[in-house]
Amino acid sequence: MTDPVLPRISQDARQRVAPELLPGLDLIPAFELNEQVLQTLRSGAITGAREAPPLSPRQQAVGCEQRLLRGAAGGPDVRVLVYTPAGTGSTQRPVYLHLHGGGFVLGAPEINDGANRSLAADLDCIIVSVDYRLAPEVRYPAPVEDCYAALKWLYGDAERLGIDRQRIAVGGESAGAGLAAMLSILTRDRGEVPIRLQLLDSPMLDDRTGTSSDPHPHCGRLVWTSVSNRFAWRAFLGTEPGAAEAPLGAVPARVSDLTGLAPAFIVIGALDLFLEESLEYARRLVRADVPTELHVIPGAFHGFGAAGGEAPQVKTCLGLRAAALARAFEFKK
């Protein structure tokens, strides 16, 4: 059995990384996903990024409650974490439905605990983070249906939760951002819940990325590679990624009609495997008359937030995200 941790980072690839982000890169183990590596990662035998710092008093003041919601028809209950800022605040707060990353096969809401507490306090908003089911144990559409069940719940119980039904945003990171894009499309098509913003941070949008014979010469050489991407999409779709057809609605980049979607915010690292699919998705959104904000962070790899909040690129990204949500919520400091 081979060692799942692979020292693959070349000096050439490192030289393209912004110097302030290199310490974060060194904290992330190099790996390429397969069945063995997935189980090793899930077991915790491979640790990633920096240990989360202790919660500040301000973060601790944000309430966090676990709830189990009724899932989609025939599906299990959906676990969510509900973050509520301290104090009375607004009688009806805006809400951000957050979807964690992990390539559709890893992760849980707890990995974003500190960040979600900070965001809830900064914007005086409620955050609902979804523990959607993971692939390959389930395939599309189960994970996005879990997210939709959470969206319908917070909309339906808005008055009891203190939520303003007209100020709802959805978003996430990596695969979570991909799910947020799928959820935005599904929500548009079903016409039951209004969304003000889809916040897509390093979004995983296109199963064809990494299947081309003409790969980007600099992107996807760090952290999340084309090998991992193909494995993750195969697990999620249950079919070979990059095939002539994909399940309807499962791949945002393959959805032909993007008109009528919620305004989009997209941020992506210039060295991220998902760079070109993010640029193309933004182009198509703009062409479909969807208000779209796009930011490319120079020298940034997938998961560059591991460098910590004091790294200027991370600070910029977090600031841009918060500002986009604030505008969507019509929040004024």
Side-chain angles (χ1 to χ4, degrees), residues 58-84:
R58 190 163 184 267
Q59 289 173 320
Q60 292 179 35
V62 174
C64 179
E65 179 184 2
Q66 176 178 285
R67 298 200 183 190
L68 287 177
L69 318 176
R70 180 177 296 178
D77 290 346
V78 179
R79 185 177 75 96
V80 299
L81 298 182
V82 181
Y83 294 91
T84 305

Side-chain angles (χ1 to χ4, degrees), residues 256-279:
S256 60
D257 181 11
L258 301 182
T259 58
L261 292 178
F265 168 93
I266 301 174
V267 62
I268 186 72
L271 302 178
D272 198 313
L273 179 69
F274 302 149
L275 173 66
E276 291 189 316
E277 65 187 73
S278 296
L279 298 177

Side-chain angles (χ1 to χ4, degrees), residues 10 12 18 25 43-45 58 87 94 102 108 110 113 129 151 153 183 229 267-268 286 311 328-329:
S10 69
D12 177 60
L25 179 63
S43 73
R58 190 163 184 267
E110 285 79 4
D113 181 66
S129 192
L151 180 66
W153 168 76
L183 180 61
N229 202 52
V267 62
I268 186 72
V286 172
F329 295 155

